[in-house]
Amino acid sequence: MTDPAPRAGVIGWPVDHSRSPLIHSYWLDQFDLAGSYERLPIEPDAISDLKHILRDGGFVGANVTLPHKESAADLVDWIDPPAAELGAVNTLWFEGDRLMGANTDGYGFLANLDERAPGWDRPGIKAVVLGAGGASRAIIQALLHRDFDSVWILNRTIEKAEALAERFGRRCRAGALSDAATILSEADILVNTTAVGMKGEGSFDFGLDGLRSGAVVTDIVYTPLETGLLQTARGRGLTCVDGLGMLLHQAGPGFEKWFGRRPEVTESLRDHVLKDLGRTA
Ligand code: ATR
C-alpha cells in the first residue's frame, strides 16, 4: 500500500484570514506534489487535544498562529531551544509518535531583510524595535543572533519593554515609545512590531527626521504593504522593507519538513499573495 498524500495545515482561532494555505498550495503546485494544506480552526478550549487532533486527522504537521503559539509550546514532546526561550512555536511536525515544535518567525524576519536589504546587518550596528509583545520577542531574539551592538526596545507600556530588555540581556535597553524621536538618532535599523498602521489605522506621533540617512526601516505589518511608517521612511529616501517577505520566508522550513522539498520565496510567489491581499485585505 502506498502512503497517503501528506496533510498539513494552520491551527488558529480564528484562522480564516490566514494566507498560509495560499503559500503552501502555491509550492505544492510548483513542485507538482501530492499533499494538502488546510485551515484548522481550533477553539482555545480544545487546544489541549492538539496532538490527538493532528494524529487522528493523519496530519504530518502544522503551522500554529494566534492565539495558540504559547499553548502549543507547552504541548509538544520536544521543542527547539530558541522556541523554548520564546515560549512560543509556529511550526509542528511528527518524528515517529513525537510531536516536535519550532519557531520560524525570527528566521522569516532575518531572511526577509537579507533578501531585500542585503548588507543590512553590518557588525556593531544598533537596532530600535517598537513594541514588546509576542512578535517583538521573536524579532529581538533573531536580531541578537546577528552581531548587534545594542537593541533598544520601545513600548507604549514601558514596563513590558523593561521586562523584555532584562530577559534578553545586556545588549538590550528599554524605553518609552514617547521617547522614540531622540532614541531614533542611534538607530541603523528601525523595526515596527506593533499593530500600528495595520489596515491604515493609527500612526506614530514621532517623525523619522532623526534617523541616519543609511538607516533601514522595516514593518511586520503587511496590510497595507506600504504602511504609514514605510511611506514616511521612503519619503526620506531610507531603505524600506515591507512585512510580506517575513510571512513568506517563515513558511519555508515547515514546508520542507512536511513535504520534503525546500521551497523558494520568489517574486512570483510574492505577486500571487499580493493579488489575494489586493482582493481581500
Ligand atoms: P503581537 O503578538 O502581535 O506582538 P501583542 O503581544 O498583543 O501582539 O503586542 C502588541 C504590541 O503592540 C504591544 O507592544 C503593544 O503595546 P502595549 O504593550 O503598550 O499594549 C503595541 N501596540 C498595540 N497598539 C498600539 C498603539 N495603538 N500604539 C502603540 N503601541 C501599540
Side-chain angles (χ1 to χ4, degrees):
M1 237 174 59
T2 53
D3 284 338
R7 190 176 180 202
V10 53
I11 293 165
W13 185 263
V15 76
D16 334 345
H17 63 281
S18 171
R19 260 68 188 208
S20 293
L22 199 67
I23 299 168
H24 290 280
S25 302
Y26 177 93
W27 284 329
L28 284 168
D29 283 351
Q30 193 191 33
F31 288 118
D32 196 19
L33 290 174
S36 65
Y37 187 98
E38 304 156 34
R39 290 191 168 85
L40 299 168
I42 297 184
E43 289 187 48
D45 284 352
I47 195 66
S48 54
D49 283 332
L50 173 68
K51 188 171 172 181
H52 293 124
I53 293 169
L54 292 175
R55 258 289 171 247
D56 296 349
F59 287 92
V60 293
N63 283 126
V64 185
T65 188
L66 299 177
H68 296 317
K69 291 183 182 187
E70 283 86 7
S71 311
D74 291 335
L75 293 166
V76 291
D77 298 311
W78 177 87
I79 185 165
D80 187 42
E85 186 187 43
L86 292 175
V89 300
N90 75 340
T91 305
L92 304 171
W93 70 98
F94 280 101
E95 286 188 13
D97 194 40
R98 299 180 77 210
L99 184 60
M100 323 293 275
N103 194 314
T104 66
D105 286 333
Y107 161 80
F109 173 77
L110 295 176
N112 185 32
L113 284 168
D114 289 344
E115 182 202 327
R116 302 193 86 84
W120 68 277
D121 60 341
R122 302 182 313 282
I125 63 171
K126 298 184 167 86
V128 171
V129 175
L130 309 176
S136 172
R137 282 207 305 273
I139 284 169
I140 293 164
Q141 185 191 56
L143 287 169
L144 292 172
H145 278 125
R146 300 281 169 103
D147 193 6
F148 271 84
D149 198 50
S150 65
V151 177
W152 270 104
I153 307 163
L154 306 184
N155 200 42
R156 182 175 59 181
T157 313
I158 191 170
E159 292 78 12
K160 286 206 227 163
E162 286 168 347
L164 274 196
E166 192 169 327
R167 175 173 173 175
F168 280 110
R170 60 180 178 77
R171 277 191 288 161
C172 294
R173 285 187 280 171
L177 204 51
S178 49
D179 292 333
T182 42
I183 292 167
L184 280 186
S185 62
E186 295 190 26
D188 298 290
I189 175 162
L190 172 66
V191 186
N192 175 41
T193 75
T194 75
V196 172
M198 194 179 286
K199 303 203 171 108
E201 285 165 21
S203 60
F204 293 109
D205 56 10
F206 53 87
L208 299 182
D209 292 347
L211 274 176
R212 295 176 185 156
S213 58
V216 174
V217 179
T218 187
D219 203 323
I220 67 162
V221 171
Y222 56 87
T223 50
L225 200 59
E226 181 93 339
T227 58
L229 182 74
L230 293 184
Q231 252 172 34
T232 308
R234 209 176 292 283
R236 271 216 45 206
L238 303 172
T239 302
C240 295
V241 179
D242 65 61
L244 181 57
M246 177 175 169
L247 174 77
L248 304 178
H249 281 285
Q250 62 77 34
F255 187 92
E256 189 173 4
K257 287 233 178 271
W258 309 318
F259 303 115
R261 300 289 291 271
R262 189 179 187 84
E264 272 185 67
V265 171
T266 57
E267 282 305 309
S268 109
L269 171 63
R270 218 178 126 81
D271 288 346
H272 181 66
V273 177
L274 276 176
K275 270 192 205 115
D276 186 73
L277 289 172
R279 262 202 306 272
T280 57

